[in-house]
Amino acid sequence: MAVVAVVGMQWGDEGKGKVVDLLTEGADIVARYQGGNNAGHTVVIEGVKYVLHTIPSGILRKDVLSVIGHGVVVDPAALLEEMRLLRAEGHKIDDNLRISAKAHVIMPYHRLLDRATEALRAERKIGTTARGIGPAYADKMGRSGIRVIDLLHEPTLRTKVATNLAMKGSFLAEHCQGSEGSALDAVAVTAQYLKFGEELRPFITDVDALLQRAWREGRNLLLEGAQGTLLDIDHGTYPYVTSSSAAAGGSCIGLGLAPSRLDQVVGVVKAYTTRVGEGPFPTELGGSLGATLRQRGDEFGATTGRPRRCGWLDIVGLRHAQWINAARWLAITKLDVLDTFSDIGICTAYEYEGERITSLPLGEHALSACAPVLEWMPGWRTSTTGTTEWRKLPEKAQRYVEHIAELLEADVLLVSTGPQRQETILTHQLW
Ligand code: GDP
Ligand code: IMO
Ligand code: MG
């Protein structure tokens, strides 16, 4: 048995969905530990593309139990819609999906608050997904949050909705006029969320107890992170981050597992870097190189459709992520996207105020003043799309992958050469 966390090592969208789906083959349970429907995890199976937002990316494997941990924030309407889409594709999910009773709920006023606070931030906006993530986690930490279990108990829900709206009322009235009036009506919100509770009731359970039992029975547990380490609330490029603990440590908190139970971490590393939303990005490429990466990598947000900003691999950020996560294994994704480049840049340090630095600077404005120091590697200029064997990779591509692994002091578990499940070079067995 083993407990393995799969973690994004950059600013999200590293290809975690594909990696989780693949590794779930050997798992008994796959559990999401944080984030919400700000995530968009893509899995492509036999040409059919699925984008999972709240449901774990293991859901497409019939014999695996998918669980949503209490570290996740759940938007019930979005979750029910995701369930409906999976059913419409012929997936039976009634027996293999469970939701933690302790997970916090994203309420309609959270979405309004998300948009209103972004508008007030003006040019300092974060570029959130507008899903209400930040305000929902703020209520959790502020101890006014509504949990999934509250959706099953009318008096609790009614009181909490009323209190929350009273606390936020004047701000909402001033800044959210004219939008979704029913979101501010305590009676209407309570009635709607009780209904969601009834629809979700068969799936709601004590996930901590479920995982404890599974661990004692020696099951293989795969823990799925959303976002990435550089978007982590503590370890990321604050304030341009999300509001949860995306790094490996978050898997213990978000699922009720002791740190000593975590056996291994798989760090998912895209072969270059992308970022959606605002915030500093030292290796960002404007012009035609950035456009080529975006076009070849189809770099458009899986949740919001926004074009992703693209740039060279940033080892400074990755080294930081590796310190935080101590990934034993790396899953290097989207290698094929680099197939056409004659030279490939790797940023190993930054120039900052006339000095060369090799770790992320601390100040909020410092990272945007950093210029990348690039090392160049020769491109392989031949197609690697769909390659499934290491020895069939061009030597220069092998060197590139090996160099990343050396710099991060980890071993390569797999290299992904296309979006489909089978477009993968598996160099080790995880389970
Ligand atoms: P996640 O949020 O980390 O799960 O990643 P996303 O699903 O948001 O973005 C990754 C995108 O790259 C998706 O469209 C995937 O289908 C696609 N993808 C994943 N691995 C590969 C790969 O090795 N090559 C290519 N070309 N696309 C990939
Ligand atoms: P997956 O799991 C990439 C970004 C947003 C914004 C910031 C805060 O698919 O990798 P939020 O709505 O969370 O308050 O937005 O975080 N962001 C992501 N970027 N991938 C994601 O998820 C993201 N989830 C949030 O674009 O910059
Ligand atoms: Mg994504």
Side-chain angles (χ1 to χ4, degrees), residues 8 12-20 38-44 49-52 57 224-227 268 270 272 274 296-303 308 332-337 385-386 415-420 423-424:
D13 302 328
E14 297 89 349
K16 298 175 294 293
K18 168 175 170 170
V19 171
V20 167
N38 49 349
H41 295 180
T42 313
V43 179
V44 185
K49 178 168 156 177
Y50 301 85
V51 182
L52 285 321
S57 306
E224 176 177 0
Q227 289 81 52
V268 186
K270 193 183 292 198
Y272 50 96
T274 60
R296 286 191 51 80
D298 194 18
E299 295 294 358
F300 295 89
T303 294
R308 295 175 182 152
I332 313 260
T333 61
K334 305 192 84 159
L335 187 70
D336 54 298
V337 174
T385 301
V415 180
S416 176
T417 56
Q420 309 244 19
E423 293 176 312
T424 310

Side-chain angles (χ1 to χ4, degrees), residues 54-117:
T54 310
I55 297 177
S57 306
I59 192 74
L60 302 170
R61 304 255 184 199
K62 275 206 307 288
D63 303 321
V64 176
L65 183 67
S66 286
V67 309
I68 297 170
H70 62 249
V72 174
V73 284
V74 175
D75 181 326
L79 173 58
L80 285 163
E81 172 62 9
E82 212 173 318
M83 290 162 70
R84 190 188 66 71
L85 287 172
L86 284 170
R87 287 194 184 106
E89 283 288 342
H91 294 278
K92 279 195 68 186
I93 54 171
D94 294 351
D95 295 330
N96 58 356
L97 177 67
R98 292 293 174 266
I99 304 160
S100 171
K102 295 198 298 181
H104 279 250
V105 179
I106 300 175
M107 303 298 289
Y109 46 81
H110 290 140
R111 284 192 299 274
L112 294 181
L113 287 167
D114 196 349
R115 271 185 250 135
T117 44

Side-chain angles (χ1 to χ4, degrees), residues 197-412:
E198 279 317 307
E199 287 185 69
L200 293 174
R201 186 186 282 276
F203 299 90
I204 300 171
T205 193
D206 181 346
V207 162
D208 294 18
L210 184 156
L211 291 179
Q212 196 182 122
R213 235 175 6 252
W215 188 83
R216 288 188 192 288
E217 287 166 2
R219 307 279 181 212
N220 284 340
L221 311 183
L222 194 68
L223 320 181
E224 176 177 0
Q227 289 81 52
T229 309
L230 300 180
L231 286 173
D232 181 287
I233 185 74
D234 289 287
H235 307 296
T237 50
Y238 193 90
Y240 299 99
V241 294
T242 191
S243 297
S244 65
S245 300
S251 66
C252 298
I253 296 164
L255 293 166
L257 293 165
S260 58
R261 307 264 192 246
L262 192 56
D263 295 303
Q264 281 175 38
V265 175
V266 177
V268 186
V269 177
K270 193 183 292 198
Y272 50 96
T273 313
T274 60
R275 173 161 211 176
V276 207
E278 306 301 318
F281 180 178
T283 65
E284 183 169 11
L285 290 167
S288 66
L289 285 174
T292 304
L293 281 173
R294 185 171 312 110
Q295 178 257 323
R296 286 191 51 80
D298 194 18
E299 295 294 358
F300 295 89
T303 294
T304 57
R306 291 179 291 177
R308 295 175 182 152
R309 300 154 66 194
C310 299
W312 297 126
L313 195 68
D314 186 343
I315 295 293
V316 181
L318 280 167
R319 252 196 241 110
H320 170 72
Q322 178 58 334
W323 167 249
I324 301 298
N325 297 314
R328 158 82 173 81
W329 298 111
L330 299 179
I332 313 260
T333 61
K334 305 192 84 159
L335 187 70
D336 54 298
V337 174
L338 298 177
D339 284 351
T340 57
F341 289 86
S342 44
D343 295 287
I344 299 169
I346 296 187
C347 168
T348 49
Y350 300 146
E351 286 285 352
Y352 176 59
E353 294 185 336
E355 288 193 24
R356 190 164 285 209
I357 58 170
T358 53
S359 55
L360 290 177
L362 289 175
E364 199 169 302
H365 304 287
L367 191 57
S368 47
C370 287
V373 177
L374 295 174
E375 199 181 88
W376 294 95
M377 292 195 72
W380 42 94
R381 304 191 72 183
T382 164
S383 173
T384 63
T385 301
T387 305
T388 54
E389 290 177 60
W390 176 258
R391 63 184 178 86
K392 291 197 176 154
L393 269 188
E395 220 167 274
K396 287 175 179 150
Q398 291 183 356
R399 263 316 289 145
Y400 184 69
V401 170
E402 283 167 351
H403 192 45
I404 298 169
E406 280 157 20
L407 288 167
L408 300 182
E409 299 179 35
D411 291 318
V412 176

